[in-house]
């Protein structure tokens, strides 16, 4: 079983839609949680960290449920430029400067 | 933010040859560098962690004699794929993290190297 599981999708949504991605992790020792974005054939880029209290960055909202070992990402008012693969990432350390464990990624395609 | 470069960006080689990939932190000193591999439609998998001046720590299942890692300076790490075979064809990505106190303290990824072994 993979340590970080995601639904690979693809999620095909129209512009302006709200879309949610989910992720589960199996190691309860995980301390830090992140969402990365990866465009086709490019390196992953940090989208946002995820905190237990939930956090928001513009149209993006991330939530963490430690009891259920579940992480989510909500994207509101989808733009064409949001089309990418979204990677759920966990770390056993206190930041993302150490070993990162990546999920398979969820592909989002936003259509006009 | 900090910049990490990789060279080459793309390489095609024949089976049995060796390929060296360079990873450089351009504007900060990277105390730790990581090497990942990503097969199509799969997640990034950590291959090894290297600290400057010491031997790399390899993840389970990664052959250290096949994937040679050298982290000779605080700005350069190299990954050499020895005796490459078609199954080694993949997207190799390095990342680097600097010491605490760096303004933006996080792990920075290079643009990746696409290796094709024929």
């Amino acid at each position: 079983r993979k340590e970080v599981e995601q639904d690979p999708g693809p999620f095909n949504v129209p512009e302006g839609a709200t879309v949610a991605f989910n992720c589960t992790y199996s190691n309860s020792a995980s301390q830090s949680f992140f969402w990365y974005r990866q465009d086709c054939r490019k390196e992953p880029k940090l989208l946002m960290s995820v905190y237990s209290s939930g956090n928001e960055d513009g149209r993006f909202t991330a939530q963490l449920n430690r009891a259920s070992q579940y992480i989510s990402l909500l994207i509101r008012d989808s733009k064409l430029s949001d089309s990418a693969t979204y990677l759920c990432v966990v770390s056993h350390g206190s930041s993302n400067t150490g070993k990162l464990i990546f999920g398979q990624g969820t592909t989002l395609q936003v259509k006009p | 933010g900090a910049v990490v470069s990789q060279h080459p960006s793309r390489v095609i080689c024949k089976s049995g040859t060796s390929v060296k990939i360079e990873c450089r932190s351009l504007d900060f000193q990277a105390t730790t560098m990581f090497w990942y591999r990503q097969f199509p439609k799969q997640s990034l998998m950590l291959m090894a962690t290297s600290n400057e001046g010491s031997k790399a720590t390899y993840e389970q299942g990664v052959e250290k004699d096949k994937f040679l890692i050298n982290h000779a300076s605080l700005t350069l790490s190299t990954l050499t794929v020895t005796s490459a075979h078609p199954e080694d064809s993949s997207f190799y990505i390095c990342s680097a993290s600097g010491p605490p106190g760096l303004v933006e303290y996080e792990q920075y990824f290079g643009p990746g190297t696409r290796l094709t072994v024929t």
Side-chain angles (χ1 to χ4, degrees), chain B residues 11-19 21 36-40 47 61-63 65-68 79-93 113-118:
Chain B
V11 58
I12 301 172
C13 71
K14 292 191 175 179
S15 189
T17 60
S18 295
V19 174
I21 303 169
Y36 294 85
R37 179 168 55 180
Q38 185 178 31
F39 293 107
M47 299 174 68
V62 178
E63 300 171 57
D65 294 329
K66 181 171 178 64
F67 299 100
L68 302 178
L79 167 68
T80 301
V81 184
T82 62
S83 187
H85 291 284
E87 57 266 31
D88 298 323
S89 298
S90 188
F91 190 45
Y92 291 86
I93 307 176
T113 296
R114 194 159 299 279
L115 170 64
T116 303
V117 185
T118 60

Side-chain angles (χ1 to χ4, degrees), chain A residues 2 36 38 40-46 87 95-105, chain B residues 10 32 34 36 38 41-44 46 59 91 93 97 105-107 109-112 114:
Chain A
K2 295 176 186 171
Y36 277 72
Q38 186 176 26
C40 189
R41 295 175 173 264
K42 297 286 179 82
E43 76 275 22
K45 295 197 170 162
L46 179 65
L87 306 172
S95 71
N96 72 338
T97 57
K99 177 179 174 178
L100 299 179
I101 299 126
F102 286 80
Q104 181 184 4
Chain B
R10 192 179 194 101
T32 306
F34 305 87
Y36 294 85
Q38 185 178 31
K41 299 190 184 300
Q42 293 187 28
S43 58
L44 275 78
L46 181 66
E59 295 297 303
F91 190 45
I93 307 176
S97 60
Y105 183 46
E106 64 172 84
Q107 189 173 146
F109 285 83
R114 194 159 299 279

Side-chain angles (χ1 to χ4, degrees), chain A residues 20-32:
Chain A
F21 304 138
N22 303 318
C23 164
T24 57
Y25 62 96
S26 60
N27 192 330
S28 58
S30 301
Q31 292 188 46
S32 308

Side-chain angles (χ1 to χ4, degrees), chain B residues 28-84:
Chain B
F28 68 101
Q29 293 187 324
T31 48
T32 306
M33 285 185 167
F34 305 87
W35 287 96
Y36 294 85
R37 179 168 55 180
Q38 185 178 31
F39 293 107
K41 299 190 184 300
Q42 293 187 28
S43 58
L44 275 78
M45 296 295 294
L46 181 66
M47 299 174 68
T49 303
S50 76
N51 292 294
E52 183 263 341
S54 58
K55 287 185 180 179
T57 302
Y58 289 80
E59 295 297 303
Q60 193 172 18
V62 178
E63 300 171 57
K64 62 181 180 182
D65 294 329
K66 181 171 178 64
F67 299 100
L68 302 178
I69 292 171
N70 185 289
H71 191 164
S73 77
L74 283 171
T75 58
L76 173 64
S77 176
T78 60
L79 167 68
T80 301
V81 184
T82 62
S83 187

